[in-house]
Amino acid sequence: MLKIRGLRKQYGKQIAVDGVDLDVDRGETVVIMGPSGCGKSTLIRCINRLTEPDAGDILLDGQSILSLDDQSLRAFRRTVGFVFQQFNLIARLSVLDNVMFHLVLAGVPRVQAETRAKQALARVGLSGAENKNPANLSGGEQQRVGIARALASNPQLMLWDEPTASLDPILIGEVLDVMEELVRTTNTTSVIVTHEVGFALKVADRIILMDKGKIVEEGSPRAIFADPQSDVGKKYQRLIAS
Amino acid sequence: MFRFFRDGLYRDYIILILVTIIVGAAVSSGVAWAVDAYFGDTIQEMIGDNGEYDLILHIREASEEAAYRELERIAQQQYPGAVISKTISLAGQVNYLFGFPQEAKTVETFSRLPSIFNAVPGLNAYTVIVEPSVLVRGVHPSVSEVLQQRFNEIDGVSFAFNDGKNMLIVLESAEHSKTVMNEARRIIKEYQVLEIRFPMGFDVDVQTTGNEVMQLLSQEYPGTRLANVSSAEYGEELDALMKTLVEMRHFLLSYASKVKIKLEPQSRLVVGEQILVQGVSEQVPVTGQDAAPDHVMIEILEITGDQAQGMIVSGSVAANGGILTQPGYKYMSENKVGQLVGEVQIENERYRLNYAINESLRLLRELDDLSVEAATAVERADKVLTTFQEALMQLEVLQVQMQQLNKGLAENGVQSTSEQLIISLFLNGLLKNIAKSGSEAAAEFDLGELENLDVASMRSSLSNLAEQIGSIQEIDVQAIIDQITDIRDSLPELDDEEIGKSVHLVDNYIAGQVIPGERIQILVENGSIDEEKVEPLIRDQLQNQYLNIYSIAVGTVNPDTRTEVFRILKEVRATIAGILSIVLVGVFLMLDHATIFSTLKWFRANQKQPKHRLARFLNPIVIFGAVVGMTILVTTYSLSNASIPYVSMPMVAVIGTGLGVMIGMFSEKFSPVRADEIMAGLALGLSNAQIMHEIVIPDGRPGLLNLLNRTKQKF
């Protein structure tokens, strides 16, 4: 479904992504792990061109994402759910509006959009919080609103950019539970960037380890953590063992 | 950057710019118009209707009551029908409007305004606001009179008069204003004052140098009428003061003691040197010793051969002395007495004058007494003459009787008796004595001679004498005495030292009064001299490369005060509109456009870096801001009819550019955007327009952009 070839992104002299090749099958859950600054988030943001890559190509069902014009790109983005590390909610809108507003702007009738939004909120356990302001929610709840917003458009591809990185340990669990539930119950293709090894072991079909902008190892969770080949993999192995 | 605007934002942004311009221009001109209207009404209240009042009298608040009473008195007694009205008070000063009755609005009235109002208590100043009129400011005094005359000859002019350095041309009606202004300008252009300015420190003899310049200009511009008017600006008052000072100097010198020095052959003196004499000091001057403080110091004024004249500059001679003669010594430095220079004779003129006046007074009193006595004597003489005449007649009768007696005696042949002889001898003797007493010239008694005495002529002489004495008696001698006494009493009580110092002071002032020597003014009539052309010529002629030449108009024509005030108001309105335009455009840029600039910056930062080095260096958003700022400000400024003094349209464009650049550079400070929300919008597939309408603008600062967005905003 998703093919990434020779992807490269550089910020000044700093190479963030250095010639990454990656294939993701439909319905597959791929977890990308690696130390901070290894280029995980850049890679995932390049997939929906929130960050423009310098070189390489990204193909979705054979269609190059990088060659899309503005309108097509927007249409593509509407099929991709993106969950941000910082939630990125619209502060002035209510929870319900946050979840439905992009649907309405995409042309979905307001009533239908509202229904879909409420369903998405129910899936993340936030029924009854529709009229609340995001600022009045906990971090975990805010992230669940972000997840509901991504789910509301029924995406064919879900991109998760360290969704628990901004949460304190107590709240991480509730988000991870929701994520695990979603991954297990839907057939959506997911690319997840996370540091949560336990979560990765539970949900990942395949784990990609990155270091210094490159993929240094990939494979099934058991294979990666049982017999890691890369230094990064070995570090994760030691982490699990401890 | 322009990709950002593609999906419909172009139109929205153009609408925003247009609305910004329209609202900016409307608010600027609206506020300015309101201010203009307010001040216009206020001024109308302040200075009354057109032509209603002629003067604004500025009076100290403390004297208001007394001043008003005096103004009322002037209005009632001198100008019945005059109107008075109090207007605004400012900073401890009340202002009264005064309007003369129509028949009193004459050149005579306006020419003597100071004397009309000089008795108004607390009057600080007055402003002439007579209407309709044309004001000529800064009239050069040298042409004031001729301009007044020529202005009076213009059609539609009632009269022209001087008000300080200005001249007001009072019109018959306001319709003549434009034509009179044009004509006045034309007349003024016929005159030109060429001013030659010398650098600081140059002391110039204005007359001589001015004449030299005029000679040069006459050669260069034949036929042009020129006049040196350097001192005209200082007015007739200064001339009068100078003359008074000169006269005062003459008087003081003649009033001072006359000092004559008969010089010793070996003495060498120069004018200005000082000598000393003993005066009334007890200490006799001795060569080589110190001079005493009470020695009389004399300054040499003039030397002719072996005679010199001087003036006492320190010390005094005895007040009652007539002439003092003493040896004079040169006064040396360090207060030493020098060599003998000659014999000094000091005549105290004040003593002599005083003596002469006293003698005159005594003479007048004597004359008065003398005339009374003379009148009495003439009266007596007249009586004597009458008595004499009667006696003479009786003698004639007696003589006839005696002749008859003698004849009778002779005819009768009778020898005279001794009695008759005695009578005859007695009568002859008596007659002889009478004749002698009547005429000393008569050697013997001759009644015929007595009869020949011209008694009528004598009486006529006596009568003339009596008339002359009467005339003398008619003279009011007492009045003369009183006046001379007054003159004597009013003579300055100055001693020689004080006179000397005063003369010195006057000399110094007159000497320094070359009329501030740094400039010369030449009046040019019926011609035009190019100052740039003649400057090098005059520099060469006067051998001074540092002087500068300017051409000065002899006056500037302005409309009357009201028109001027309203013109100023118009300028104020335009200035307010201009300032408001700039402020409003700044505010709009800050509130509305800064939001867009910030968003553009965010997008630019998240795009690929431009390859071109110049594009990296020149931030297109700042350039865009500059163009937007300039466009909005220039258009708003023009539409609101704004005009700030000394700020031209290119300068306005520069200001607009500056504002745009500033807002472009610091847009995030003025209107920050939430990057995470924009990022979410992009990730959710929103267009740029949708991101702006739903995320950026609603979250931005309240302003036009926010207001316009309301129609497009769905959430």
Side-chain angles (χ1 to χ4, degrees):
Chain A
M1 181 193 179
L2 180 68
K3 288 183 189 294
I4 298 173
R5 292 291 177 268
L7 196 73
R8 185 182 167 82
K9 178 66 184 177
Q10 190 169 343
Y11 295 108
K13 290 181 179 175
Q14 175 81 33
I15 298 171
V17 178
D18 190 7
V20 169
D21 293 323
L22 177 67
D23 288 349
V24 180
D25 293 333
R26 189 174 301 278
E28 189 180 17
T29 299
V30 174
V31 173
I32 302 173
M33 299 179 77
S36 295
C38 70
K40 311 182 294 287
S41 289
T42 305
L43 173 64
I44 203 171
R45 281 165 183 256
C46 282
I47 293 173
N48 72 345
R49 284 176 59 186
L50 288 179
T51 297
E52 291 287 350
D54 296 331
D57 203 358
I58 301 167
L59 303 168
L60 185 74
D61 295 331
Q63 167 71 50
S64 171
I65 305 300
L66 301 185
S67 62
L68 294 176
D69 60 19
D70 288 349
Q71 204 170 347
S72 303
L73 178 62
R74 285 198 291 273
F76 161 70
R77 281 171 175 166
R78 282 197 288 270
T79 64
V80 177
F82 199 102
V83 179
F84 292 92
Q85 183 179 325
Q86 300 290 341
F87 329 135
N88 292 29
L89 299 177
I90 311 300
R92 69 178 185 86
L93 298 181
S94 68
V95 167
L96 182 65
D97 284 348
N98 257 290
V99 179
M100 66 181 273
F101 91 105
H102 65 287
L103 300 176
V104 174
L105 295 177
V108 178
R110 190 174 276 266
V111 177
Q112 195 180 333
E114 192 174 325
T115 307
R116 282 169 62 179
K118 282 179 177 172
Q119 286 171 351
L121 285 169
R123 286 175 72 182
V124 298
L126 283 175
S127 292
E130 289 88 351
N131 295 320
K132 287 186 179 174
N133 189 284
N136 297 328
L137 301 176
S138 69
E141 287 171 328
Q142 285 186 48
Q143 189 57 293
R144 282 191 277 157
V145 174
I147 294 167
R149 181 175 65 185
L151 291 173
S153 54
N154 296 324
Q156 58 174 323
L157 174 64
M158 278 289 287
L159 302 174
W160 307 74
D161 184 12
E162 298 192 51
T164 56
S166 300
L167 300 174
D168 60 59
I170 298 168
L171 299 174
I172 287 174
E174 67 180 75
V175 174
L176 289 178
D177 289 347
V178 169
M179 288 173 67
E180 189 179 341
E181 173 66 17
L182 289 172
V183 170
R184 287 188 190 286
T185 57
T186 59
N187 195 28
T188 307
T189 309
S190 294
V191 179
I192 304 168
V193 173
T194 184
H195 290 290
E196 301 297 331
V197 180
F199 171 75
L201 281 169
K202 281 184 190 172
V203 301
D205 294 322
R206 188 154 47 107
I207 290 177
I208 309 288
L209 295 181
M210 285 186 73
D211 191 20
K212 295 174 185 171
K214 293 176 184 293
I215 293 175
V216 290
E217 195 171 353
E218 66 175 290
S220 66
R222 290 193 183 279
I224 289 282
F225 294 127
D227 184 22
Q229 302 298 307
S230 63
D231 290 343
V232 177
K234 285 172 185 168
K235 282 179 188 169
Y236 276 114
Q237 187 186 40
R238 283 197 292 275
L239 187 67
I240 294 166
S242 65
Chain B
M1 184 187 78
F2 293 105
R3 280 179 59 193
F4 175 78
F5 289 103
R6 274 184 196 162
D7 52 356
L9 272 177
Y10 272 120
R11 199 185 54 196
D12 293 347
Y13 195 58
I14 288 169
I15 289 171
L16 173 69
I17 289 176
L18 289 176
V19 171
T20 304
I21 290 167
I22 292 165
V23 171
V27 172
S28 304
S29 53
V31 171
W33 176 84
V35 170
D36 186 22
Y38 171 76
F39 280 116
D41 289 346
T42 309
I43 286 166
Q44 201 79 15
E45 283 173 21
M46 278 166 57
I47 59 176
D49 289 336
N50 211 347
E52 187 178 3
Y53 297 104
D54 302 309
L55 296 171
I56 304 174
L57 298 147
H58 314 293
I59 292 160
R60 282 194 296 278
E61 210 161 22
S63 311
E64 183 185 358
E65 210 172 305
Y68 185 69
R69 279 201 301 274
E70 176 61 15
L71 287 176
E72 275 194 324
R73 189 197 63 74
I74 292 169
Q76 284 165 8
Q77 295 179 8
Q78 295 183 39
Y79 298 100
V83 284
I84 308 167
S85 170
K86 187 183 175 184
T87 180
I88 55 162
S89 302
L90 280 172
Q93 189 168 263
V94 290
N95 297 291
Y96 276 94
L97 298 168
F98 192 96
F100 289 105
Q102 196 57 40
E103 64 275 11
K105 292 184 181 185
T106 61
V107 66
E108 290 76 20
T109 303
F110 287 105
S111 298
R112 57 185 198 89
L113 289 175
S115 62
I116 295 171
F117 295 103
N118 66 356
V120 175
L123 179 69
N124 283 336
Y126 62 80
T127 306
V128 181
I129 56 166
V130 60
E131 295 168 316
S133 65
V134 169
L135 176 67
V136 184
R137 289 189 188 280
V139 175
H140 198 279
S142 61
V143 289
S144 173
E145 206 169 315
V146 69
L147 283 184
Q148 186 177 7
Q149 194 181 335
R150 295 194 63 183
F151 291 155
N152 278 330
E153 291 165 1
I154 301 173
D155 278 346
V157 170
S158 290
F159 57 86
F161 67 96
N162 284 306
D163 175 31
K165 282 192 167 183
N166 301 333
M167 188 175 288
L168 270 113
I169 308 171
V170 182
L171 310 178
E172 288 167 1
S173 69
E175 289 83 59
H176 293 103
S177 178
K178 199 171 178 182
T179 51
V180 171
M181 278 177 72
N182 290 338
E183 185 63 11
R185 283 198 182 102
R186 191 191 62 72
I187 291 170
I188 283 172
K189 272 187 184 172
E190 291 178 18
Y191 303 88
Q192 174 192 21
V193 170
L194 212 61
E195 183 168 293
I196 299 138
R197 277 185 185 267
F198 293 84
M200 291 284 284
F202 274 85
D203 196 15
V204 178
D205 182 341
V206 171
Q207 272 326 111
T208 314
T209 315
N211 291 342
E212 207 174 329
V213 171
M214 282 204 299
Q215 201 172 354
L216 177 73
L217 293 175
S218 300
Q219 288 166 4
E220 291 293 322
Y221 297 89
T224 303
R225 278 195 287 170
L226 303 164
N228 186 353
V229 293
S230 305
S231 63
E233 201 167 346
Y234 303 96
E236 293 172 359
E237 290 83 358
L238 185 65
D239 287 344
L241 175 66
M242 293 292 285
K243 283 177 186 168
T244 306
L245 285 175
V246 170
E247 289 303 318
M248 191 186 292
R249 186 178 184 279
H250 279 305
F251 170 75
L252 287 171
L253 281 177
S254 60
Y255 194 56
S257 294
K258 293 279 177 296
V259 180
K260 292 176 185 168
I261 307 129
K262 183 164 175 54
L263 297 170
E264 293 289 320
Q266 77 280 6
S267 63
R268 286 181 181 174
L269 275 179
V270 291
V271 172
E273 272 192 312
Q274 291 189 346
I275 62 169
L276 63 87
V277 296
Q278 183 182 353
V280 293
S281 173
E282 291 180 355
Q283 188 181 330
V284 178
V286 178
T287 302
Q289 290 191 356
D290 284 350
D294 52 354
H295 281 160
V296 177
M297 306 296 298
I298 296 162
E299 186 178 301
I300 303 300
L301 298 177
E302 190 181 328
I303 300 171
T304 314
D306 61 348
Q307 294 286 334
Q309 289 187 5
M311 176 181 71
I312 295 173
V313 291
S314 167
S316 291
V317 292
N320 58 354
I323 298 175
L324 176 75
T325 305
Q326 288 182 336
Y329 299 86
K330 199 166 182 176
Y331 179 65
M332 311 299 286
S333 58
E334 297 176 351
N335 197 36
K336 294 288 181 192
V337 178
Q339 292 295 324
L340 178 74
V341 292
E343 189 180 68
V344 178
Q345 191 183 65
I346 302 172
E347 293 180 43
N348 190 331
E349 288 296 325
R350 293 183 309 292
Y351 170 79
R352 291 168 70 166
L353 180 62
N354 215 27
Y355 177 77
I357 289 173
N358 286 337
E359 287 299 295
S360 301
L361 290 171
R362 202 157 67 84
L363 172 68
L364 284 168
R365 289 191 190 99
E366 290 294 330
L367 186 65
D368 202 23
D369 295 343
L370 188 66
S371 69
V372 174
E373 286 174 15
T376 310
V378 167
E379 197 179 333
R380 284 178 185 162
D382 190 56
K383 284 179 182 171
V384 167
L385 197 60
T386 305
T387 309
F388 175 75
Q389 209 168 9
E390 285 170 1
L392 197 59
M393 284 174 67
Q394 286 173 358
L395 279 175
E396 277 176 357
V397 173
L398 194 60
Q399 191 178 31
V400 169
Q401 286 176 347
M402 198 176 71
Q403 282 171 350
Q404 285 174 350
L405 181 63
N406 287 337
K407 190 180 175 183
L409 288 173
E411 282 175 356
N412 292 333
V414 180
Q415 289 293 320
S416 299
T417 64
S418 56
E419 191 179 1
Q420 287 173 326
L421 186 63
I422 290 167
I423 290 168
S424 177
L425 286 173
F426 170 74
L427 286 173
N428 280 318
L430 182 63
L431 287 171
K432 199 172 181 179
N433 283 338
I434 290 169
K436 268 186 180 175
S437 65
S439 172
E440 286 181 5
E444 56 183 341
F445 173 73
D446 186 353
L447 196 56
E449 285 180 7
L450 281 176
E451 284 172 343
N452 289 336
L453 276 174
D454 190 354
V455 176
S457 174
M458 288 171 70
R459 189 175 293 280
S460 171
S461 296
L462 273 176
S463 175
N464 287 339
L465 192 57
E467 274 178 27
Q468 285 172 351
I469 290 167
S471 299
I472 289 171
Q473 283 182 320
E474 281 172 12
I475 294 171
D476 190 352
V477 175
Q478 190 53 46
I480 298 171
I481 290 170
D482 290 345
Q483 284 304 308
I484 292 178
T485 308
D486 280 349
I487 290 169
R488 184 189 60 185
D489 295 343
S490 63
L491 281 173
E493 291 181 6
L494 296 168
D495 59 24
D496 283 313
E497 182 174 338
E498 288 165 337
I499 292 170
K501 284 177 179 172
S502 301
V503 169
H504 262 286
L505 196 63
V506 172
D507 282 348
N508 287 339
Y509 184 80
I510 293 173
Q513 201 58 42
V514 241
I515 315 298
E518 293 86 22
R519 65 180 186 178
I520 291 171
Q521 292 188 327
I522 307 292
L523 176 68
V524 182
E525 283 184 59
N526 302 321
S528 178
I529 290 178
D530 182 355
E531 64 268 27
E532 287 182 11
K533 189 181 164 192
V534 295
E535 191 173 74
L537 299 174
I538 294 176
R539 280 180 174 174
D540 290 346
Q541 176 73 26
L542 301 181
Q543 296 180 335
N544 187 331
Q545 294 305 309
Y546 303 105
L547 58 80
N548 292 302
I549 297 180
Y550 304 95
S551 180
I552 302 170
V554 295
T556 316
V557 177
N558 297 101
D560 62 42
T561 309
R562 182 186 298 269
T563 315
E564 187 74 348
V565 167
F566 278 96
R567 187 190 61 77
I568 292 167
L569 266 185
K570 200 176 166 187
E571 278 182 14
V572 169
R573 189 206 63 75
T575 306
I576 290 172
I579 292 169
L580 271 177
S581 297
I582 293 170
V583 171
L584 284 175
V585 168
V587 169
F588 289 146
L589 285 174
M590 202 161 63
L591 294 180
D592 300 329
H593 298 264
T595 307
I596 293 168
F597 297 159
S598 295
T599 314
L600 282 171
K601 276 187 177 178
W602 186 89
F603 272 94
R604 186 168 182 263
N606 284 276
Q607 285 175 350
K608 289 180 183 176
Q609 292 296 306
K611 298 280 190 302
H612 200 285
R613 191 176 291 177
L614 191 65
R616 283 186 191 184
F617 180 71
L618 293 172
N619 188 337
I621 292 153
V622 173
I623 296 170
F624 179 65
V627 172
V628 168
M630 184 191 72
T631 307
I632 294 176
L633 183 59
V634 167
T635 320
T636 306
Y637 194 87
S638 303
L639 285 177
S640 59
N641 285 326
S643 174
I644 301 174
Y646 312 113
V647 178
S648 60
M649 197 50 90
M651 283 176 75
V652 173
V654 170
I655 293 169
T657 305
L659 281 173
V661 167
M662 189 182 71
I663 303 293
M665 285 175 75
F666 303 106
S667 57
E668 306 95 320
K669 308 274 182 197
F670 298 119
S671 186
V673 291
R674 289 175 187 264
D676 58 339
E677 294 187 5
I678 296 174
M679 186 70 89
L682 285 174
L684 291 167
L686 269 56
S687 68
N688 292 340
Q690 288 171 330
I691 289 171
M692 290 305 293
H693 293 317
E694 300 297 332
I695 296 174
V696 177
I697 299 172
D699 199 42
R701 296 189 183 281
L704 290 176
L705 186 60
N706 220 310
L707 209 64
L708 291 172
N709 193 57
R710 295 270 168 88
T711 56
K712 308 206 168 193
Q713 193 179 331
K714 290 184 175 169
F715 285 88

